[in-house]
Amino acid sequence: MPAGEAELDEVELSALRGLVRVHAALVKELDAELEARHGLPLTSYEVLRSLRKSPHGKLRMAELAEHALLSRSGMTRLIDRLEREGMVGRSTCDKDGRGCYAVLTDQGRTVVDQARASYLSVVRASFLRHYGVDELGELAGLLQKAL
């Protein structure tokens, strides 16, 4: 350990581990539930949901990568797969044709709308039910502070 850098104390370590464990457990459960019920991995759901909530059902690829916390190359691979599955299409957005939008198809809209109830059910049962409204507001503020 470099000089001057103290180990995390018990409170710091507990807070960090708690955050990481809750996130990992929730992601694992959401992914399993969405895959089992809808054949849709969580990352695909997140992309389709972002498109569903966007104006005209489309977003620039770079913007979509930020929403889903994926690299641009990871997003391109995911959009390629969703396009093969008929859930998204692409359209150019720059005059020179270099940039492009991912566009939600009718099939993609149907799939994400069907998966929404499963997603919300897991989030509520596995996470939100443990907290009151005030606690959730405080937690949201504390997490936002770290960002």
Side-chain angles (χ1 to χ4, degrees):
M1 168 172 45
E5 288 189 31
E7 286 291 331
L8 298 177
D9 67 31
E10 287 304 310
V11 172
E12 292 168 332
L13 192 56
S14 178
L16 179 61
R17 282 186 176 157
L19 176 65
V20 170
R21 286 180 178 157
V22 167
H23 176 264
L26 186 58
V27 165
K28 183 178 179 181
E29 189 173 353
L30 281 166
D31 196 51
E33 184 74 9
L34 290 169
E35 186 72 57
R37 290 186 177 265
H38 308 282
L40 193 66
L42 178 58
T43 52
S44 297
Y45 174 81
E46 291 288 348
V47 166
L48 295 174
R49 184 182 60 86
S50 292
L51 290 171
R52 182 74 168 104
K53 295 177 84 168
S54 68
H56 311 294
K58 66 182 185 179
L59 285 170
R60 287 179 175 268
M61 294 286 283
E63 216 178 338
L64 200 49
E66 285 180 29
H67 282 255
L69 304 177
L70 291 173
S71 67
R72 286 185 185 204
S73 62
M75 180 55 63
T76 298
R77 287 189 299 275
L78 179 55
I79 293 299
D80 287 346
R81 186 170 48 90
L82 291 172
E83 190 172 27
R84 283 192 305 273
E85 294 170 355
M87 290 191 255
V88 300
R90 295 177 200 243
S91 68
T92 56
C93 55
D94 293 336
K95 288 180 174 63
D96 61 11
R98 286 185 301 179
C100 89
Y101 286 110
V103 183
L104 190 63
T105 64
D106 289 342
Q107 180 184 341
R109 184 173 290 105
T110 298
V111 168
V112 74
D113 287 351
Q114 290 171 346
R116 182 176 175 269
S118 298
Y119 177 88
L120 293 173
S121 176
V122 169
V123 170
R124 287 186 175 121
S126 298
F127 181 67
L128 298 177
R129 74 176 178 91
H130 299 287
Y131 306 98
V133 174
D134 291 344
E135 290 173 312
L136 285 171
E138 184 177 357
L139 179 59
L142 291 169
L143 293 171
Q144 190 60 42
K145 192 174 172 180
L147 298 174

